[in-house]
């Protein structure tokens, strides 16, 4: 049977106090499962980035981690404004985060760049006015 | 010094007679290494990082730190005391470091070597290391000075072990330098000299008995700062307070309180964090990669740094004022450790940790990933049934920890008093139902509500 553990975390828009709960939960689970340090770190960064994206941009959403011995999949689905220009959003340093959020140290436009750096595959789909979905795969075998 | 038979040496111990089984310690342990079982605390040896947080919070003083006694001095022909910089901050303002050192000499030592001087040497070595240019992947660099932080990282932040600056700690360097210097001075071999560290904390005891960066420590014994405080205090009236024994400058003394190490190293962006729970939150940030603008992290397990150690006597806030004054007073003088000499020896590898600090993956649920995932699944499902109050009445620090203990087969779901109550309620209902069932051999008149006791005398 395929072993897959699914962890799900609800994330609220603008809930900065809760930032880190989803990624922290994913990290702890991966450590307890016995994944290597690099997998844990990459998945934790991915989860943190999708989590903060929801907090900054969306009204609400969910972060999911699918854990199997072969790979860790980090998924995020949110309800929110969606992304108008995906290509632009992927660009390093580009951010639509308002000034007050940037002042808190978030929204530096590194989110997608970090996700790409830490994952082996990245899929992003978005519908303006509806929301965004992100799927990041971290292969366990790869360094 | 060797490892304890069959496992990890720990300096934090429990006095079973004093332990009342309250749950103060389990709640504060940063690695969830304590459980209460059968009315007594139990330290999970493989997890404990000897930070001493439980020593501090135990209202019954059941947690203590094992150190060496002064009788250990008899094992050596010559003895040298290595007082931690924080030791100076324990005394009244009119007692200068020289007086403290003079009193130590009267307490049975043939010589003293200030750990503050070694801290200066380590400062200069760290600067030399940083000048080499750091690998970009290992930014920010994390100080190796606090052994409790190192052990915390081995257990909870294994992915950050590569960030640790591989320069030995002031305690270790002090022991090496002291033996060299005194052997030369006294014309004896270093082996004849016992180096005794006057320690502010439990983690340093562990670091001496079971070092991480080197296979063997040069520290031969670790004395408790509180015990030595009493020894020094007793002898102070008989010593010359102006004795010229003190060589360290503000740079080295500053290491004794939080922020001092970072100030001494003084290059790039420095982040200083103290208090083990604060250290956890900062290391979490490092792990997420959000602190790329920081070059150097000074992290100390105790609030206030070493002056806040569980073996310190003085209130850390009071001793911080004292430490600050000493740093100002001696800040102008040249370090006791010579820069050219330190650089020469740094190049020779004198300051290097000779082996990498290895992770201690004690949190994993199973050796086998597939089995561990299955256990994790069960853990999550168990957790969903628990009330989420984290009351600690089951003896585990949180509901999650209890769920983990259940999956590890070290606890039962009914250890949760709320789960037990629910079970009891179900059981009570079932009992009521059972009382209403009439065995076929009995008459129908004695059916439910008929006061059906078997006592013939009884008339309701």
């Amino acid at each position: 049977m395929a072993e897959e553990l699914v962890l799900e975390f609800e994330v609220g828009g603008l809930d900065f106090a809760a930032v880190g709960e989803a990624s922290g939960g994913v990290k702890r689970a991966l450590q307890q499962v016995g994944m290597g340090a690099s997998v844990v770190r990459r998945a934790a960064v991915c989860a943190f980035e999708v989590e903060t994206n929801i907090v900054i941009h969306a009204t609400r959403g969910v972060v999911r981690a699918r854990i199997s011995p072969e790979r860790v999949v980090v998924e995020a689905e949110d309800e929110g404004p969606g992304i108008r220009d995906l290509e632009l959003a992927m660009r390093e340093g580009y951010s639509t985060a308002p000034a007050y959020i940037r002042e808190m140290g978030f929204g530096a436009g590194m989110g997608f760049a970090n996700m790409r750096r830490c994952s082996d595959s990245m899929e992003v789909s978005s519908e303006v006015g509806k929301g965004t979905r992100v799927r990041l795969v971290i292969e366990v075998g790869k360094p | 010094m060797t490892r304890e038979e069959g496992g990890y040496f720990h300096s934090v111990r429990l006095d079973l007679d004093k332990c009342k089984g309250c749950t103060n310690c389990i709640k504060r342990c940063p690695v969830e290494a304590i459980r209460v079982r059968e009315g007594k605390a139990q330290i999970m040896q493989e997890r404990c990082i000897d930070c001493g947080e439980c020593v501090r919070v135990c209202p019954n003083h059941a947690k203590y730190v094992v150190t060496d006694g002064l009788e250990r001095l008899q094992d050596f022909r010559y003895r040298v005391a290595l007082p931690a910089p924080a030791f100076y901050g324990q005394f009244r303002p009119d007692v200068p470091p020289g007086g403290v050192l003079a009193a130590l000499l009267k307490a049975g030592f043939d010589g003293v070597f200030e750990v503050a001087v070694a801290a200066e040497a380590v400062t200069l070595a760290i600067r030399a290391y940083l000048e080499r240019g750091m690998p970009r992947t290992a930014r920010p660099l994390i100080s190796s000075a606090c052994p409790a932080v190192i052990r915390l990282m081995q257990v909870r932040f294994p992915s950050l072990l590569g960030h640790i600056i591989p320069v030995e700690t002031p305690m270790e360097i002090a022991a090496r330098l002291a033996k060299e210097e005194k052997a030369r001075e006294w014309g004896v071999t270093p082996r004849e000299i016992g180096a005794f560290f006057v320690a502010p904390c439990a983690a340093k005891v562990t670091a001496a008995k079971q070092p991480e960066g080197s296979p063997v420590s040069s520290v031969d014994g670790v004395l408790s700062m509180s015990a030595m405080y009493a020894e020094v205090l007793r002898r102070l009236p008989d010593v010359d307070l102006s004795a010229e024994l003190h060589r360290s400058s503000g740079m080295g003394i500053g290491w004794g309180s939080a922020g001092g190490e970072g100030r001494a190293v003084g290059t790039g962006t420095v982040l200083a964090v103290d208090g083990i729970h604060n250290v956890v939150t900062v290391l979490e940030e490092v792990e997420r990669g959000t602190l790329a603008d920081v070059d150097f992290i000074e992290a100390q397990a105790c609030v206030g740094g070493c002056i806040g150690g569980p073996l310190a006597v003085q209130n850390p806030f009071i001793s911080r004022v004292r430490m600050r004054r000493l740093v100002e007073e001696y800040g102008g003088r040249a370090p006791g450790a010579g820069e050219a000499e330190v650089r020469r020896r740094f190049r020779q590898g004198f300051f290097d940790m000779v082996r990498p600090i290895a992770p201690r993956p004690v949190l994993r649920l199973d050796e086998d990933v597939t089995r561990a995932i299955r256990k994790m699944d069960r853990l999550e499902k168990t957790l969903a049934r628990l009330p989420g109050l984290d009351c600690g009445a089951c003896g585990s620090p949180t509901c999650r920890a209890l769920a983990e203990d259940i999956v590890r087969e070290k606890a039962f779901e009914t250890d949760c008093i709320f789960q037990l109550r629910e079970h009891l309620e179900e059981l009570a209902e079932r009992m009521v139902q059972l009382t209403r069932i009439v065995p076929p051999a009995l008459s129908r008149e004695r059916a439910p509500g008929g006061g059906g006791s078997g006592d013939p005398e009884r008339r309701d």
Side-chain angles (χ1 to χ4, degrees), chain B residues 300-460:
Chain B
Q300 293 190 285
C302 297
V303 172
C306 296
I307 50 170
L311 298 176
V313 183
Q314 184 63 266
N315 172 302
F317 296 91
I318 294 168
S319 90
R320 186 169 62 185
V321 177
R322 173 84 177 115
M323 292 296 282
R324 200 181 296 152
R325 201 178 307 168
L326 287 171
V327 168
E328 277 165 23
E329 200 173 335
Y330 301 106
R333 73 152 88 176
E339 176 142 18
E341 173 71 0
V342 168
R343 283 182 177 272
R344 188 180 65 78
R345 304 202 74 176
F346 174 73
R347 283 194 299 275
Q348 291 171 348
F350 179 79
F351 291 93
D352 294 358
M353 284 188 176
V354 296
R355 62 177 184 201
I357 293 167
R360 278 169 63 200
V362 294
L363 301 181
R364 70 163 63 152
L365 294 170
D366 202 291
E367 294 286 313
D368 177 78
V369 174
T370 308
R371 275 204 303 265
I373 289 177
R374 219 173 291 155
K375 284 185 182 173
M376 193 71 212
D377 192 38
R378 251 177 59 218
L379 191 158
E380 293 291 335
K381 286 179 178 137
T382 309
L383 180 61
R385 285 192 296 270
L386 296 173
L389 289 173
D390 295 343
C391 66
C394 60
S396 301
T398 60
C399 290
R400 170 167 281 274
L402 175 63
E404 193 190 312
D405 293 343
I406 292 167
V407 170
R408 290 184 194 272
E409 296 177 346
K410 297 210 162 106
F412 301 98
E413 218 161 309
T414 43
D415 290 347
C416 169
I417 56 168
F418 300 95
Q419 283 276 317
L420 183 67
R421 269 175 73 122
E422 262 175 45
H423 282 288
L424 281 176
E425 200 182 315
E426 280 165 29
L427 191 62
E429 273 168 23
R430 180 91 186 107
M431 282 169 71
V432 171
Q433 282 169 8
L434 282 172
T435 60
R436 290 185 182 144
I437 297 169
V438 182
L442 293 183
S443 69
R444 288 198 180 274
E445 291 90 86
R446 309 184 81 179
S453 84
D455 181 359
E457 297 296 312
R458 187 157 165 186
R459 297 282 182 272
D460 289 331

Side-chain angles (χ1 to χ4, degrees), chain B residues 5-25:
Chain B
E5 281 299 311
Y8 202 80
F9 171 90
H10 283 287
S11 53
V12 171
R13 306 282 173 87
L14 177 77
D15 182 340
L16 278 177
D17 293 335
K18 286 187 182 168
C19 177
K20 287 188 176 166
C22 75
T23 53
N24 283 292
C25 60

Side-chain angles (χ1 to χ4, degrees), chain A residues 3 5 27 31-32 48, chain B residues 156 287 364-365 374 404:
Chain A
E3 294 288 343
L5 168 70
K27 184 195 137 183
Q31 272 188 346
Q32 288 196 309
F48 182 68
Chain B
R156 278 185 67 171
E287 204 159 45
R364 70 163 63 152
L365 294 170
R374 219 173 291 155
E404 193 190 312

Side-chain angles (χ1 to χ4, degrees), chain B residues 36-40 42:
Chain B
V36 175
R37 295 283 178 263
E38 292 169 22
K40 300 286 176 187
Q42 267 180 14

